Structures are given as C-alpha cells and as structure tokens.
Amino acid sequence: MSNLFDAFRLAERDGRVALVLADGTAISYGELTALAGRIARRLGEAGVAPGDRVVVQVEKSHAALALYLACLQRGAAFVPLNSGYTMQEVGYFVGDAEPRLVVCAPERIEAVRAAAEPAQPAILTLDEAGRGSLTDAPGAPLLDVVARGPDDLAAILYTSGTTGKPKGAMLSHANLGSNARVLMEEWRFTGDDVLLHALPIYHAHGLFVACNVLLMAGGRMIFLPKFDIDAVLEALPRATTMMGIPTFYTRLLTDARLTPGLVRHMRLFTSGSAPLLAETHVEWQARSGHAILERYGMTETGMNTSNPYDGARIAGTVGLALPGTEVRVVDGESGRELPRGEIGMIEVRGPNVFGGYWRLPEKTAAEFRPDGFFITGDLGTLDERGYVRIVGRGKDLVISGGLNVYPKEVETEIDALDGIIESAVFGVPHPDFGEAVTAVAVAAKGFAPGEAGMLEALAGRLARFKLPKRIILVPELPRNTMGKVQKAELRRQYRDLYG
Ligand code: AMP
C-alpha cells in the first residue's frame, strides 16, 4: 500500500461521519470518497496524469479536502497555496510548479489565467460551498487508485521563505504516510475521535498533521472555515481533541466562556507551528485542567518531536524525538554534535524528512549533511532526557558586538516585566555593534510601561550585551496566519532606527 490514499481505507468507513461543517451538515466517508472519485475523474478529463502538479488556491471546504484526496488517488502532486497570496505570487508559483491544472475561486479565474501566462494550464474553479467547474459535472466516481512508489510525490508545499523566493518542499507518499501513522499512534487517535479543525488546509499543520491523522484513524472532524472564537467555543463540547496554533489558546484564554466544564470531556489539546509561551501552557492548565501537548515540525519534515501523551509535557519544550526520527543538536559551522544542554543547530533524519526542494538540487544539497541529516535552521538544545527546546530560527539570531544573542532569552525576560504581555526581539544594523538588540513589546490593557523603566529592570537580569538598546511598545506583533511572528518584517520596519 504505497499510495497514501489506500492507507486511509476510506471504503471501509462508508457510513461513518467524516466531516461536520459549520452549518451542521454531516458528510460521511462514503460521500467524501464519492466526491473525491468524481473530482478524480474530472482531473483525468483535464489531462492530469500521474506525476503532474495541481496548483490549488481555494477557500477551505469539504470539497477542497476531497480535491486533495482526488490528487492522491490520481497520483498527482497536490500544491496548495495560501488563499491570501496575490496574483503576482500565484504567477510565480504557477511558473515554478508548472502544473497541468490550477484550481481557483470562480471570481479569480480571469486573473489566474493572466497570472499563469505564458504557461497555459487548465483552470477549473471551486468556491467555499464546493461548487464550481471542478465539481459541477456529474459522473460516476472513479474508483481506481494509481499505484505509487513510496518516493513518488504526493504534494509540494511552498515554504513561506522569509528571505528569497519561496521554495517548494517535495513530500512523498511515504513521508506523509509514515508521519501520520506515528502521530496517530503517539497521540492515540481512533475512529472515536472528533477533532475540532479550525486550521487552514493549505499548510502542513492543518492538512497533514490534522486531516491525514484523522483520516487514517477513521475519526471525524468538525471542519470550521477558520478560527472564529464563537464557533470554536460552541463546537468544543462536541469535540474530543483540538489541534491549534498558540494564538488559538491565547485568544480562548481571554474569553470568560472558557471554563473547566466546557472542556472537561476533551482528551487532547495540541499546539505547534509557533512557540507556545510557557506562561500560556501554565495558564491553560489552570483554566482548563489540560496540559497542552506541544510538538515541533516544519513543512520540509512533517513532525519531528512531540511531548509525550503519557508522561511529562514540559512547558517551554517541544518534547522528544518521535519514533523513527532522529534529532541532534550540532555546531552549525562544523556539524560536530554538541554536549547536552548547549545551544546549536537542530538537525533531523527519518522517514518523515522530505526529498528536497522542487527543481533546486543545489539548495537541497546545501541543507543536508552527508549522513542524511536535514539542517532545520532552528536553534535549540537537547536535555539529558532528550527533550528539545527551541530558541529561535538561526537567521533570527542577533550578533551584537560579535556576541550571539538568542532572542528567546531576551523575550522571556521582557515578557516577565510588569504589564507586558508579549514581545519580539530582533537585530537591527547599528554603527558600533554591527547589530543592535532591539525589541517591540505589547502592553496589557491599562498599562503603559516607560521604556527607561523597562530597560532598567532588565539590566539586573540580563548580561549587558544582551540588553535591548530600545524597547518599543506596539499594539500587536506582526504575525502570519500560522501565528508566527514576522521577524523579517520587524527588521525591515526598524532598519533605520540607529542609522
Ligand atoms: P512551517 O514550515 O511553516 O511549518 O514552519 C516551521 C517552523 O515553525 C519551524 O522550523 C520552527 O521554526 C517553527 N515551529 C514549529 N513548531 C514550533 C514549536 N512548537 N515551537 C517553536 N517553533 C515552532
């Protein structure tokens, strides 16, 4: 069974509910499979052959999930795009991926056609209700599943690429299948689970971690178009599990309707895609009685580490290497493995790790060690028990006066100041220091801490070279849709601060 589609064993689950939509509509596994089969037939009519790419920029819907399944069934590579990408960006992705077919929202068809020039892929449409030229032609569902080898492409996901052009991470059927199986087992997913799904499905977290795991387990998803706090609070009593990004939890914590009674029956809350503050973990446990299970992964690798289901879920850590995946921390320059506790580059190896970047063999080679470990670009530590802590992206490291400053350490101290909710630390060019440690911080309602006072309070807690030169209060931190603070954006915005 090398095609991931077969691993979902959809046919066996015919009458069971697969999805419950925001309006309460239930979609059974049988209906989802039939829709995927009809779309698979349509893909064939549009000329999509095994190995072809299908670029998809649509809103989240049950039909978008069926389209993903149809691509697997046809042996095509699914290439989802963030629905917020502009036409110029879509043009770049189409030029790079060279798809046979593009699926877009009906109102964008002309713009997509123009953006796709000079390539002339077929273009079909799909709206958020599941209607469009992709689904409007009735016909018998295709039943055949194209045989795939483990290394054949299942998807290409473009990484957000804070520097340079986005790169397409090539994920095989074996990459996705092995990771889904490990997560299903580690997190104990079964056919009895109901996952509250409020993540986007153009990203690895919402699509591969959430959907693949639930489909493999034969569970049900409450499939919400996005994170809407009222809808999430309303749905929680019907769920057994939720997978979230840290902002889901911080937003829920601000709402008085989050009570222990509302979530007592839940089995599991997970968090990832961006760092969960230890404080949020502690507050969530106090408010809900549940310890959030934090895990760590990335587009290129799927999930690498997870806090244990049974055993200590340690706040501020992303847990232990998942079974089958090796994690090490090395000196970035020499590649030498570092003693436990020292900060270095996190590297991973395992069946979850992607095959490379689409048509970029040199970039791919530069990010793998000769022994097959992938250089994640994340800096962190491993403790004696094997728990991983992440201190930030390597490229966010600040080098001030020749000394390394890890933003996380400084952020933790700023966050602990009176009246501060959260902060982001980054490097900005400075005539004397090369880079100056610089911070933006968000104050709690009713607080307006003075900059001088904050700097003075930090002086007793951090070595001089780590002290920010400036702490600027801002109404909110710039975040992308997955909750990641956009440090490149901050560096851009403040680049002339000291110049
Ligand atoms: P993406 O490829 O968009 O999934 O982003 C992957 C990156 O998100 C990783 O390389 C990390 O920098 C970050 N990330 C993911 N999970 C966590 C986590 N639990 N804690 C801190 N950073 C995380």
Side-chain angles (χ1 to χ4, degrees):
M1 263 205 312
S2 288
N3 191 318
L4 175 63
F5 186 91
D6 290 324
F8 296 148
R9 305 192 343 259
L10 299 169
E12 291 171 31
R13 292 163 176 156
D14 211 26
R16 296 175 60 95
V17 173
L19 303 174
V20 179
L21 308 183
D23 65 2
T25 307
I27 295 179
S28 70
Y29 271 93
E31 288 167 315
L32 184 66
T33 311
L35 180 58
R38 284 197 298 277
I39 295 175
R41 180 173 296 286
R42 195 84 176 90
L43 297 184
E45 289 160 6
V48 175
D52 283 345
R53 276 80 54 209
V54 176
V55 165
V56 177
Q57 191 193 35
V58 298
E59 295 302 330
K60 179 176 174 183
S61 71
H62 69 289
L65 183 64
L67 171 56
Y68 162 61
L69 292 172
C71 287
L72 293 177
Q73 190 179 347
R74 269 259 159 215
F78 185 67
V79 190
L81 299 182
N82 186 322
S83 42
Y85 280 140
T86 63
M87 275 307 137
Q88 189 182 332
E89 290 164 317
V90 172
Y92 165 76
F93 293 117
V94 170
D96 191 58
E98 294 192 57
R100 175 76 56 188
L101 170 69
V102 180
V103 181
C104 67
E107 65 277 12
R108 303 192 96 178
I109 188 163
E110 289 311 324
V112 168
R113 201 185 308 282
E117 289 282 339
Q120 296 194 330
I123 304 178
L124 293 172
T125 61
L126 185 67
D127 70 11
E128 58 271 22
R131 284 184 298 260
S133 54
L134 181 75
T135 51
D136 62 9
L142 191 79
L143 297 176
D144 302 342
V145 179
V146 171
R148 295 276 83 184
D151 295 335
D152 282 328
L153 264 189
I156 299 177
L157 256 61
Y158 281 89
T159 58
S160 29
T162 40
T163 51
K165 291 268 189 210
K167 304 183 288 265
M170 299 192 287
L171 296 154
S172 68
H173 285 258
N175 291 148
L176 301 181
S178 64
N179 211 225
R181 188 161 303 284
V182 164
L183 294 176
M184 176 180 80
E185 286 166 5
E186 287 295 297
W187 297 344
R188 314 281 160 83
F189 274 90
T190 71
D192 294 331
D193 271 304
V194 181
L195 178 84
L196 201 165
H197 193 304
L199 293 161
I201 58 168
Y202 52 70
H203 186 271
H205 191 169
L207 187 61
F208 301 145
V209 184
C211 296
N212 281 357
V213 167
L214 268 287
L215 291 171
M216 196 173 267
R220 175 185 304 191
M221 293 186 264
I222 301 175
F223 216 53
L224 302 179
K226 62 179 183 1
F227 183 89
D228 170 89
I229 196 154
D230 294 329
V232 166
L233 285 163
E234 192 272 320
L236 274 170
R238 290 179 283 124
T240 62
T241 51
M242 182 174 88
M243 296 187 190
I245 55 176
T247 28
F248 286 14
Y249 297 102
T250 51
R251 286 198 210 157
L252 283 165
L253 281 168
T254 63
D255 200 298
R257 290 172 290 174
L258 176 75
T259 58
L262 189 79
V263 292
R264 187 171 296 125
H265 67 287
M266 294 282 285
R267 183 176 77 69
L268 180 66
F269 288 98
T270 72
S271 177
S273 287
L276 182 78
L277 293 179
E279 193 184 303
T280 310
H281 182 103
V282 171
E283 215 183 315
W284 185 266
Q285 190 155 18
R287 271 285 281 290
S288 76
H290 291 281
I292 297 172
L293 182 154
E294 186 172 8
R295 92 297 179 283
Y296 156 65
M298 59 200 304
T299 304
E300 290 91 333
T301 64
M303 298 302 104
N304 296 310
T305 72
S306 169
N307 270 281
Y309 189 83
D310 294 319
R313 299 181 191 166
I314 302 181
T317 81
V318 294
L320 308 154
L322 284 163
T325 299
E326 297 163 87
V327 176
R328 68 185 184 192
V329 172
V330 306
D331 172 90
E333 302 277 287
S334 65
R336 187 177 46 84
E337 209 163 335
L338 292 172
R340 297 281 161 132
E342 283 189 26
I343 295 177
M345 178 60 68
I346 300 175
E347 298 187 346
V348 299
R349 182 167 70 178
N352 52 313
V353 176
F354 76 140
Y357 294 109
W358 172 252
R359 291 183 177 162
L360 293 172
E362 279 150 31
K363 279 219 162 58
T364 303
E367 299 199 19
F368 279 92
R369 301 278 180 198
D371 59 3
F373 273 84
F374 174 63
I375 306 167
T376 62
D378 290 313
L379 297 173
T381 61
L382 257 175
D383 74 8
E384 287 303 330
R385 289 172 300 171
Y387 280 82
V388 175
R389 258 172 220 278
I390 296 177
V391 300
R393 294 291 297 166
K395 54 180 184 287
D396 294 333
L397 183 73
V398 187
I399 305 180
S400 189
L403 297 169
N404 288 357
V405 180
Y406 298 99
K408 179 83 186 286
E409 188 187 354
V410 183
E411 287 160 4
T412 306
E413 292 300 338
I414 297 177
D415 295 349
L417 295 174
D418 267 357
I420 294 297
I421 298 180
E422 57 176 1
S423 61
V425 166
F426 51 98
V428 167
H430 187 283
D432 278 348
F433 300 103
E435 278 188 306
V437 180
T438 305
V440 291
V442 179
K445 264 207 187 75
F447 279 83
E451 188 173 0
M454 289 193 285
L455 291 171
E456 200 179 294
L458 288 179
R461 306 195 201 177
L462 287 168
R464 236 184 131 78
F465 72 95
K466 297 179 189 168
L467 284 176
K469 301 278 170 290
R470 295 285 314 270
I471 304 179
I472 299 160
L473 288 182
V474 292
E476 60 181 6
L477 301 181
R479 285 202 153 84
N480 72 5
T481 47
M482 297 309 290
K484 284 196 227 308
V485 175
Q486 301 301 84
K487 295 225 168 155
E489 174 57 37
L490 287 168
R491 284 193 287 266
R492 227 181 345 264
Q493 202 178 331
Y494 292 100
R495 70 180 157 219
D496 298 327
L497 197 61
Y498 308 100

